[in-house]
Amino acid sequence: MTDIAAAFAQIMVAASGALGAGYWPAVARWPGTPVMENGSIVTPGTPIALDCMAQVDAATEAMRGEASYTDGDVRILVLADTLAGTLDTAARIEITEGPHVGTFMIATCQRDPAAIYWDCRGRRA
């Protein structure tokens, strides 16, 4: 399936660049895991930042039906082949270019059946 994901990512990135719309440069960020001792942070976690391409869209009807949904939540699609890692709800997505520049907290995150993208519900941080 990674061949499909790679081909789709290549097509979408090229189309986005040509049309100036769609997927935009982004960074998936995690704070890292601190080392704790006696309830205090001994060593802060090493932050992780992975480049990717993401698209911000309106929340789906299914997302709107989730108990934790709030007005302003959005759907974020991250092309799986552009992210060198696994996306989860501990991450924040920083869109660095395009009409939705900013940082988004991830409330839900799952892979689509074809493993082409990560389908997330997020809100501005």
Side-chain angles (χ1 to χ4, degrees), residues 6 21 36 43 92 94 104 121:
M36 305 289 286
T43 307
R92 290 181 179 225
E94 179 186 355
F104 295 84
R121 179 172 56 86

Side-chain angles (χ1 to χ4, degrees), residues 52-76:
C52 58
M53 297 292 286
Q55 177 185 74
V56 177
D57 199 356
T60 65
E61 196 62 35
M63 290 175 177
R64 288 185 181 99
E66 294 171 358
S68 61
Y69 173 82
T70 63
D71 283 340
D73 282 6
V74 295
R75 182 181 193 194
I76 302 170

Side-chain angles (χ1 to χ4, degrees), residues 6-74:
F8 187 82
Q10 189 176 27
I11 292 165
M12 293 312 298
V13 168
S16 293
L19 301 173
Y23 289 87
W24 296 96
V27 180
R29 298 184 185 278
W30 290 264
T33 305
V35 175
M36 305 289 286
E37 186 176 298
N38 297 325
S40 297
I41 297 174
V42 176
T43 307
T46 302
I48 299 167
L50 300 175
D51 292 334
C52 58
M53 297 292 286
Q55 177 185 74
V56 177
D57 199 356
T60 65
E61 196 62 35
M63 290 175 177
R64 288 185 181 99
E66 294 171 358
S68 61
Y69 173 82
T70 63
D71 283 340
D73 282 6
V74 295

